[in-house]
Structure formats: structure tokens, C-alpha cells
Amino acid sequence: MTKQIFKTIFLILSSVLVITSCSSLNLGKQREQKILIQTTEGDITLKLYNETPLHRDNFIKLVKAKTYNGVLFHRVIQEFMIQGGDPNSKTAAPDAMLGDGDVGYTLPAEIRTPKIYHKRGALAAARQGDNVNPEKASSGCQFYIVVGKKFTDEQLDKLQESQIARYGHASDSTYKFGPQARQDYKTIGGTPHLDGNYTVYGEVLKGMDVVERISKVETNRADRPVKDIRVKKMKLVR
């Protein structure tokens, strides 16, 4: 009787281990979700990172709810980024100031430096400044896509030193550029000064030429394009 009990327990534990192992393998192989942004300037295809599940799932939820359909790219800066996602921009007058619209909540930061960083084409979450948002919580809906520029090793060294001195993270890697980040910042460019302060949760797969074109349009003093550039539709793609 005792041997039978031990045998049953062993079989149950073995089954649990197998199920757990399979679940871990499936999680590691989870396909990254792709999003198509159809804009008045052309199409942009994104992929969302599984390493930032809160931001990934929130973005998917908003896409499914059609929250982004009709919003403007309301803030555009050449060699820096293009920003959109303000719900108030859908019906905004030409001279309206934009950037304060939201969906009533924020998301906890999911900063994954040095592995995930602000290379050219990175998709990241906008947020309020540190003075009112020391936790670096992300906007529930506003996002930006990085254009950036190229940097030298010397520039990256100085930036890294100043960021560590300012934010006091000398003992960890939050503000240190990994080998791949350095390579990308030197060859394709990006906005390395944002690393460690904003959540990056995806990247452009196709349509970076559209992002570049949008970044170069004429803007007013508030960096809003003089001619409205609109997201016509966002949808999930396989």
C-alpha cells in the first residue's frame, strides 16, 4: 500500500514538471504580435515585444477597440521622433495644443535596458515628466517612434557618464549601453539619452521611410505638423 502511494505521488509530480516545462517552452516561443498602422503618409508595420507584456497587451487592447483610428501624429521633431495617440487629436482644431489627452490610466514602467533600448525605429511610451511622475509610469495611450541620429563612442561614453551621475545608478546597468546598443547607435542611430527613462515596447519592421518622411514635415512652434498627419486605421496582422 505504501509503495503504491509513493508511486502515485511520483507520477503526479512528474506530470506537473512536464506541464511546467512545456508551459515555459511555449512562453519562450510565443510569437510577437504585429500591428499595421495605416497613415495618410503610408503604412508602418510594428512588432510588439513579449518582454514588456503590460505595454504589449494594452496596445493590442487599444488597437482592437479602435482607439487609435483617426488620431494625429501631433508632435514631430526631425532627427528625434514622431509622437501620436492623443485621443483629443481626432477632432482637434488646427491651432489646438495637443498632448494632454489620455484614456484615464497609466501603465507601470517596463524599462528593460540594456537589452531593449531607443534604437532607430523603436516604439516607446510617452509619459509625464519626473517632477510629477518619479515612477516613470507610461501614458495609457500616447506613443512615439524613434528616428534619432548616429553617435560616436566618445559621445556615448560622455552621455553614459552624465546619465549615471544624474540618476545615481552606477551600480547597475540601467544607464549603461550594452555592446549591441553601442553598435546600433553608431551605425543606424537612435535616441540613447532616453534609455532608462522611458519604456520601449516594440519596433518598426516595415515603413521606416514613412516615419522618416513624417519627421521632416513642416511644424509650428509646438512641433505639431502644419498639415495634419493622421492614423487612418490600426489593426493586428499575422
Side-chain angles (χ1 to χ4, degrees):
M1 187 68 174
T2 303
K3 288 183 179 180
Q4 183 62 38
I5 292 174
F6 281 135
K7 183 177 180 181
T8 302
I9 292 173
F10 176 77
L11 289 173
I12 292 172
L13 289 175
S14 298
S15 299
V16 170
L17 287 173
V18 169
I19 293 171
T20 303
S21 178
C22 289
S23 297
S24 299
L25 287 173
N26 289 335
L27 181 61
K29 293 180 180 179
Q30 185 175 348
R31 181 181 298 175
E32 291 175 315
Q33 178 64 60
K34 297 178 183 178
I35 306 290
L36 175 65
I37 307 179
Q38 297 174 321
T39 82
T40 51
E41 295 296 313
D43 293 351
I44 304 166
T45 302
L46 306 170
K47 74 172 180 180
L48 305 179
Y49 296 150
N50 291 330
E51 294 89 343
T52 49
L54 297 178
H55 287 71
R56 175 199 63 199
D57 293 348
N58 181 68
F59 201 79
I60 291 172
K61 179 188 74 172
L62 295 179
V63 170
K64 287 181 176 179
K66 302 181 180 180
T67 303
Y68 291 124
N69 293 2
V71 299
L72 300 177
F73 282 101
H74 65 270
R75 184 169 178 247
V76 167
I77 302 176
Q78 190 170 347
E79 293 190 336
F80 184 33
M81 57 90 223
I82 64 173
Q83 182 174 335
D86 182 345
N88 296 338
S89 69
K90 293 184 179 184
T91 57
D95 57 347
M97 294 292 292
L98 297 169
D100 291 332
D102 61 39
V103 286
Y105 60 85
T106 59
L107 297 173
E110 292 183 289
I111 295 169
R112 302 288 185 257
T113 50
K115 181 180 178 181
I116 298 176
Y117 46 92
H118 284 81
K119 65 183 178 181
R120 175 180 171 86
L123 169 70
R127 67 175 179 85
Q128 290 186 305
D130 289 354
N131 57 325
V132 295
N133 180 27
E135 297 85 11
K136 307 184 191 301
S138 301
S139 163
C141 55
Q142 292 197 41
F143 64 91
Y144 60 92
I145 300 174
V146 173
V147 178
K149 60 182 181 180
K150 296 177 184 178
F151 290 78
T152 65
D153 273 319
E154 182 180 6
Q155 290 173 323
L156 291 171
D157 288 342
K158 289 182 178 179
L159 179 58
Q160 179 174 282
E161 183 179 348
S162 66
Q163 292 289 77
I164 290 174
R166 179 178 180 182
Y167 295 105
H169 286 269
S171 61
D172 64 35
S173 60
T174 303
Y175 298 100
K176 294 179 181 179
F177 304 123
Q180 188 59 55
R182 280 184 171 272
Q183 180 67 16
D184 285 341
Y185 286 140
K186 289 189 294 182
T187 56
I188 64 173
T191 54
H193 58 286
L194 299 182
D195 284 356
N197 289 310
Y198 295 80
T199 296
V200 176
Y201 60 100
E203 66 180 78
V204 173
L205 290 178
K206 297 179 182 178
M208 196 60 205
D209 58 323
V210 176
V211 176
E212 182 80 36
R213 186 161 61 249
I214 294 172
S215 74
K216 294 178 178 178
V217 301
E218 181 183 359
T219 58
N220 62 20
R221 292 182 179 180
D223 298 317
R224 177 177 168 179
V226 173
K227 175 186 174 183
D228 284 347
I229 300 173
R230 196 173 297 277
V231 173
K232 296 191 292 185
K233 183 179 181 179
M234 281 199 202
K235 63 180 182 179
L236 279 62
V237 295
R238 296 299 177 188

